[in-house]
Amino acid sequence: MLKFPKDFAWGAATSGPQSEGNFHKPNQNVFDYWYEKDPDAFYDGVGPDTASNFYNDYKKDIPLMAKAGIRSLRTSIQWTRLMADVDKGIVDEDGVEFYNNVIDCLLDNGIEPYINLFHFDLPIDLYKKYGGWESKHVTDLFADYAEKCFELFGSKVKNWFTFNEPKVILDGEYLYQFHYPLKVDGPAAVQVAYNINLASAKAVARFKKWRKENNSDAKIGTILNLTPAYPATNDPEDVAAAEFATLWDDNMYLDPAVKGHFPEKLVKILDDANVLFDSTPEELKIIADNTIDVLGVNFYHPERVMRPSVSPDSLQDWMPDIYFDNYEMPGRVMNVDKGWEIYPKTLYDIAINIRDNYGNLPWFVSENGMGVSHEERYLDDKGVVQDDYRIKFIKDHLTELHRGIEAGSNCHGFFVWTGIDCWSWKNAYRNRYGLIRNDIHTQTKTIKKSGQWYAKLSENNGF
């Protein structure tokens, strides 16, 4: 039996915009706005309006999650629900009451809240008025909002996180057109990456000031989707392509958050290409002085790359992928529904990388899971999804994680994505990830076979 360390956190992750539904929100985020403009852009035309109805169902959903062995829940506060006026920083009292009630309900059910402050859900007004994360002013507004959250909920919440997967904000909004505003602008993406790192550091600064004034033992971190790039071969050009991909995808966020500065190699490449971000010494000092306490790592699939087929010196618009081409390894194991390779060993590699290159910082797996479409095909005659594939996926990843912990990596938790099937951006409910099935037509929620297994895993602290 694989036993995990004492006090290991067995949890699940979700987010406000993917679970709550838009009931009584005073503001729209970019997805609400996009869905209103173009509902056909979303799978089956299903938008975020209802999601998993957590806004109305949380008093039933949370005990159900506890029954599935979830002892910690990472979710997010919606900026667009908490604030009545996102520009002036005025809170909405109904939003405050809702999040207070959710946090109280979690604690009453023995579930530790892990609260994230931003999960892709930029208020549309801040995009229209200032250009969203292209604006440094928005980094100040984010810090104001974060500080308000610490003041309102800090007495109950011990685990805070600034951003979820900043890389996806760049990929979706500025490079590959799967999140609104669907831009293709490599240099803008570079500036957005810098501004998000700056916004995170500003929020950490406000948190540390609040923590000191309130004599709190709470911690703050960020959530990064780390997908280390493996070269197709040991040829130096493939290795160089993989090095750039890792610098761009991982280290551009990991280094500022943990070490307080951007990777020198990446800065030089961007500078040589005349796309380096605009920065000031004062801003760089904020980043240097406000590193995180804890890191959350989302991991689903590895990244494999090879040398680009076209030289990056060719006349072309600057994009990060001019330095590498994606590589599909023959014979790889796939989650075909999602189009992602399954390679659990990467989780061991991540654990060793954090141990050896990032001071063995305390960290946890903040998301890991398997999305499968048309999951109703696995329902048995009692209405329970027999998702043995998900149990195997989690077991295989936990085995590699356990190996990393045995090797000395400072990992203290595993959060599955997700507890209850939730809405997922453009794909809506196409792929289901939950330990608990949600019939979105009736909002009936039923524990799957994986949820029954996860309860035993959590109770036994291993498998």
Side-chain angles (χ1 to χ4, degrees), residues 374-392:
H374 306 298
E375 215 172 27
E376 60 274 10
R377 61 188 147 152
Y378 299 109
L379 282 168
D380 68 9
D381 55 7
K382 294 179 181 173
V384 176
V385 176
Q386 297 296 305
D387 51 345
D388 295 274
Y389 43 85
R390 181 166 291 111
I391 295 170
K392 180 180 186 314

Side-chain angles (χ1 to χ4, degrees), residues 198-233:
L198 178 62
S200 180
K202 286 180 177 178
V204 172
R206 301 284 186 96
F207 173 81
K208 289 184 175 176
K209 182 172 180 289
W210 172 88
R211 178 167 65 184
K212 187 175 181 183
E213 290 172 352
N214 290 274
N215 195 29
S216 168
D217 60 353
K219 293 182 169 51
I220 193 162
T222 191
I223 306 291
L224 303 180
N225 50 326
L226 299 182
T227 54
Y230 297 108
T233 72

Side-chain angles (χ1 to χ4, degrees), residues 134 169-171 174-175 185-195 248 252-253 318-320:
E134 294 174 58
I169 299 170
L170 269 65
D171 286 352
Y174 291 93
L175 298 174
D185 189 336
V190 174
Q191 190 62 51
V192 166
Y194 174 80
N195 289 352
W248 173 263
M252 184 159 62
Y253 311 98
W318 190 91
M319 291 281 279

Side-chain angles (χ1 to χ4, degrees), residues 19 365 449:
S19 62
V365 177
K449 184 176 181 180

Side-chain angles (χ1 to χ4, degrees), residues 71-91:
R71 300 289 174 258
S72 302
L73 182 71
R74 179 171 75 88
T75 188
S76 67
I77 290 171
Q78 292 198 68
W79 197 346
T80 49
R81 182 183 294 287
L82 185 72
M83 309 304 281
D85 188 322
V86 295
D87 205 352
K88 295 177 181 174
I90 299 170
V91 299

Side-chain angles (χ1 to χ4, degrees), residues 1-5 10 71 452-463:
M1 181 178 184
L2 293 184
K3 273 280 186 185
F4 283 78
W10 294 103
R71 300 289 174 258
Q452 296 166 356
W453 174 80
Y454 202 78
K456 292 178 185 170
L457 170 76
S458 173
E459 183 180 346
N460 296 328
N461 198 30
F463 66 97

